[in-house]
Amino acid sequence: MKSPAYAWGGAGALLKPDKQAQVWSPVRAISGGLIAAVSDDEILAAYQMLAEQEGVFVEPASAASVAGLLKLTRPGQLERGALAVCVLTGHGLKDPETALKRVPDFTPIPAQLEAVLSALQQ
């Protein structure tokens, strides 16, 4: 049986290292774009950055495109001001466990405006 090009991990498809050239070459030829492999740590860093800096709550698999973009900006593979598109399709509530593991301790408050305002002032 042939090894598939993708392995399934969480909500996203992960390209197996031995299949990258087989899949990426046609994609690059058709799109003229760039592709980067990213680690779990890079995905989780992008996941957290999206939540903290952009206010966007996505599932980790959805943050993979942003992780790839961030990785490509480091070695200067993208020109400054280049147009880039990252598709973020999976809502963070699809994987609430990851979010709960990454936040500091928190105190639940009642779902009432007064309670929220009071908590924000502390």
Side-chain angles (χ1 to χ4, degrees):
M1 180 175 171
K2 286 187 173 182
S3 174
Y6 295 92
W8 292 98
L14 305 174
L15 191 58
K16 291 184 175 181
D18 63 331
K19 301 292 182 181
Q20 289 176 359
Q22 175 186 348
V23 174
W24 289 358
S25 293
V27 170
R28 285 186 179 126
I30 292 168
S31 72
L34 299 171
I35 299 172
V38 293
S39 68
D40 287 350
D41 288 342
E42 290 168 317
I43 291 170
L44 290 173
Y47 167 83
Q48 191 157 346
M49 185 273 303
L50 284 166
E52 290 175 352
Q53 296 181 22
E54 302 298 330
V56 178
F57 184 39
V58 298
E59 66 176 320
S62 194
S65 63
V66 175
L69 178 61
L70 293 171
K71 187 172 193 169
L72 289 171
T73 61
R74 289 185 199 119
Q77 292 185 10
L78 290 177
E79 292 180 30
R80 186 174 201 85
L83 176 64
V85 176
C86 292
V87 179
L88 306 173
T89 59
H91 193 280
L93 292 177
K94 289 174 79 176
D95 183 4
E97 291 302 314
T98 298
L100 291 172
K101 289 177 193 172
R102 299 191 64 80
V103 296
D105 291 335
F106 61 93
T107 303
I109 58 172
Q112 299 168 339
L113 180 58
E114 297 80 20
V116 173
L117 292 174
S118 176
L120 290 173
Q121 291 175 351
Q122 294 177 359

